[in-house]
Amino acid sequence: DVQLVESGGGLVPAGGSLRLSCAASGFTYSSSCMSWHRQAPGKERELISTIRIYGRTYYADSVRGRFTISKDNSKNTLYLQMNSLKPEDTAVYYCAALLGDPWCSGSWGQGYWGQGTQVTVSS
């Protein structure tokens, strides 16, 4: 079975840092599109970063320059290093995968999702 399990969320003051992890299993991790999304209260879920073939990355404008996505294929683990956190970064953070889609060309509606981890940034 495909499983994605996030960890690393928590409460942090504004300006602080957190590193989220997403442990993946049950699929060929290295040939899949991996991503981080977030959903703040009362808002739609937002794609914030992807990592695809050859390590190419994408960042939403809201996090570019502050967040860094990476993955360790040997550990089947995806990471999101979050620096200079702001109160508006408060959300539930989800990792997601598009299996067998190294170019991230598919729809996230067809993806596999973790259960999410809460990040709260205090002002």
Side-chain angles (χ1 to χ4, degrees):
D1 291 350
V2 173
Q3 283 196 321
L4 298 167
V5 181
E6 301 98 334
S7 62
L11 174 64
V12 62
S17 298
L18 280 175
R19 189 177 80 155
L20 305 183
S21 300
C22 174
S25 61
F27 63 99
T28 305
Y29 179 78
S30 60
S31 63
S32 299
C33 172
M34 302 299 298
S35 66
W36 288 99
H37 306 243
R38 68 185 181 186
Q39 188 167 20
K43 295 188 177 181
E44 293 187 354
R45 191 171 296 186
E46 170 191 20
L47 170 65
I48 57 173
S49 186
T50 63
I51 186 165
R52 50 186 175 143
I53 194 168
Y54 308 127
R56 294 179 181 178
T57 56
Y58 158 82
Y59 297 98
D61 289 344
S62 56
V63 306
R64 187 176 296 114
R66 300 187 298 121
F67 291 9
T68 303
I69 191 171
S70 62
K71 63 177 183 173
D72 186 334
N73 287 340
S74 68
K75 297 181 179 180
N76 282 11
T77 301
L78 179 72
Y79 302 99
L80 185 69
Q81 178 65 44
M82 304 187 295
N83 298 330
S84 302
L85 283 161
K86 306 174 181 179
E88 52 263 44
D89 293 318
T90 295
V92 178
Y93 284 70
Y94 300 89
C95 71
L98 289 175
L99 274 56
D101 183 2
W103 290 101
C104 300
S105 59
S107 165
W108 290 106
Q110 303 300 317
Y112 287 83
W113 295 78
Q115 83 288 349
T117 186
Q118 176 71 47
V119 171
T120 303
V121 184
S122 61
S123 57

